[in-house]
């Protein structure tokens, strides 16, 4: 305390006359004790600390019987085992906030979550090998915008896995149905382009920062008045250039016989 007081005076700080609350003190101490936090073993009373260390709360501590899930300790002393002295219980949220520059994040395989209109992934957060969070669902756009944008294009714009009322969506569905009908009349499945061609169509037209339905709706609201047909697919966009286009006369929609006109 005296050392901190002298440093504060040397730096020209005004000494606070109001006593600090326990939470503020613990948060301040935590910034210097990040390597001395521990998480309780769910099957015992040992704590998992930094870099694989295991310690127990000293029997003389007021927290010995309480055994909170997360603690920080000012001192680790090794005798018959590694004991933690001067211990405080802390919420895990404090650790992630104070150790933002030290924690490591890893993401599982991302997926498209249609009900939220965004790509998500399971995130695992560790500090010095201690799991801070496991399999936490987070928005992918915050951590990997490029991957989130690709999933948005593939699942929302191409596959239609979103609740959209935009005019271009209905137009594109109609175009797809028409090309699929031509393909059915031709009795071959080589007419419709691969999904990659449609992905590239949208990739060329929407900005790089569009990573979710919310971002798209905001952008399209201002873009649509100037370019209403920007995202409209045509037959040329949907028919594979390498495929033989069917001759309309060879695949009539109406069969005429005398005075009769019969739909085919």
């Amino acid at each position: 305390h005296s050392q901190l007081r002298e440093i504060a005076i040397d730096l020209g700080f005004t000494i606070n006359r109001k006593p600090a609350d326990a939470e503020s003190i613990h948060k301040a101490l935590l910034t210097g004790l990040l390597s001395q936090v521990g998480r309780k073993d769910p099957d015992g009373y040992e704590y998992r600390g930094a870099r694989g260390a295991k310690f127990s709360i000293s029997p003389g501590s007021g927290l010995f019987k309480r055994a909170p899930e997360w603690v920080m300790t000012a001192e680790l002393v090794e005798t018959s085992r590694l004991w933690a002295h001067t211990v405080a219980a802390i919420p895990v949220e404090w650790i992630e906030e104070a150790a933002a520059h030290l924690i490591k994040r890893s993401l599982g395989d991302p997926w498209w979550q249609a009900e939220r209109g965004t790509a998500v992934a399971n995130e695992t957060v560790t500090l010095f090998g201690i799991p801070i969070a496991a399999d936490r669902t987070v928005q992918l756009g915050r951590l990997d915008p490029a991957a989130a944008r690709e999933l948005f294009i593939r699942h929302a714009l191409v596959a239609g896995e979103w609740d959209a009322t935009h005019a271009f969506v209905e137009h594109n569905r109609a175009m797809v149905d028409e090309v699929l009908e031509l393909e059915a009349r031709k009795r071959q499945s080589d007419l419709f382009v691969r999904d990659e061609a449609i992905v590239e169509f949208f990739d060329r037209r929407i900005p790089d920062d569009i990573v979710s339905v919310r971002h798209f709706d905001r952008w399209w609201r201002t873009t649509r008045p100037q370019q209403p047909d920007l995202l409209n697919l045509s037959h040329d966009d949907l028919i594979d250039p390498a495929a033989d286009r069917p001759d309309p006369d060879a695949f009539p929609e109406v069969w005429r016989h005398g005075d009769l006109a019969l739909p085919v």
Side-chain angles (χ1 to χ4, degrees):
H1 177 274
S2 61
Q3 290 173 343
L4 289 174
R5 184 182 181 89
E6 290 176 6
I7 293 172
I9 293 173
D10 290 342
L11 293 174
F13 293 165
T14 301
I15 303 300
N16 186 17
R17 299 296 179 183
K18 180 182 177 181
D21 59 274
E23 180 176 322
S24 298
I25 293 173
H26 286 155
K27 281 186 173 181
L29 292 172
L30 177 60
T31 60
L33 296 173
L34 290 171
S35 63
Q36 294 186 202
V37 300
R39 182 178 188 178
K40 181 179 174 296
D41 185 340
D43 299 324
Y45 288 91
E46 273 195 326
Y47 284 79
R48 178 178 177 180
R51 303 176 184 88
K54 292 185 178 181
F55 63 84
S56 301
I57 297 177
S58 171
S61 170
L63 295 180
F64 177 70
K65 291 184 178 180
R66 285 176 50 192
E69 182 180 5
W70 288 93
V71 297
M72 67 175 178
T73 174
E75 186 178 35
L76 289 170
V77 178
E78 188 168 7
T79 54
S80 58
R81 65 172 65 180
L82 192 59
W83 297 103
H85 296 263
T86 314
V87 181
I90 56 174
V92 66
E93 294 80 10
W94 289 6
I95 301 175
E96 190 168 356
E97 179 182 354
H101 58 302
L102 296 172
I103 60 176
K104 293 184 178 180
R105 303 178 185 272
S106 60
L107 295 176
D109 292 335
W111 73 93
W112 174 254
Q113 200 170 68
E115 58 271 22
R116 297 175 64 177
T118 188
V120 297
N122 285 335
E123 180 186 47
T124 298
V125 181
T126 60
L127 172 66
F128 303 132
I130 310 171
I132 304 297
D135 294 335
R136 177 172 61 188
T137 302
V138 295
Q139 291 193 15
L140 187 63
R142 181 170 55 88
L143 303 173
D144 192 345
R149 180 177 181 271
E150 182 180 355
L151 285 174
F152 166 72
I153 292 175
R154 290 184 180 277
H155 290 271
L157 297 178
V158 178
E161 298 174 19
W162 63 332
D163 185 16
T165 58
H166 302 297
F168 79 87
V169 175
E170 293 302 322
H171 168 85
N172 290 345
R173 284 174 183 163
M175 289 292 102
V176 169
D177 289 343
E178 289 180 12
V179 173
L180 290 178
E181 184 181 355
L182 287 173
E183 194 174 62
R185 288 180 176 276
K186 189 183 176 185
R187 303 294 192 271
Q188 293 182 9
S189 59
D190 63 345
L191 193 61
F192 200 84
V193 295
R194 300 180 64 182
D195 284 350
E196 292 301 322
I198 308 177
V199 169
E200 292 174 4
F201 172 89
F202 288 112
D203 183 47
R204 293 192 300 267
R205 286 164 172 77
I206 69 171
D208 292 340
D209 59 348
I210 304 300
V211 299
S212 69
V213 171
R214 180 174 58 86
H215 290 91
F216 176 85
D217 287 344
R218 185 170 55 201
W219 167 76
W220 187 236
R221 191 162 47 245
T222 58
T223 304
R224 182 183 56 203
Q226 290 78 32
Q227 298 175 284
D229 299 329
L230 177 65
L231 302 179
N232 285 0
L233 289 162
S234 67
H235 284 175
D236 290 338
D237 297 316
L238 297 172
I239 295 178
D240 190 339
D244 294 330
R245 294 192 178 221
D247 180 2
D249 294 333
F251 300 94
E253 297 183 5
V254 177
W255 178 264
R256 299 188 183 278
H257 182 74
D259 295 334
L260 298 176
L262 307 175
V264 178

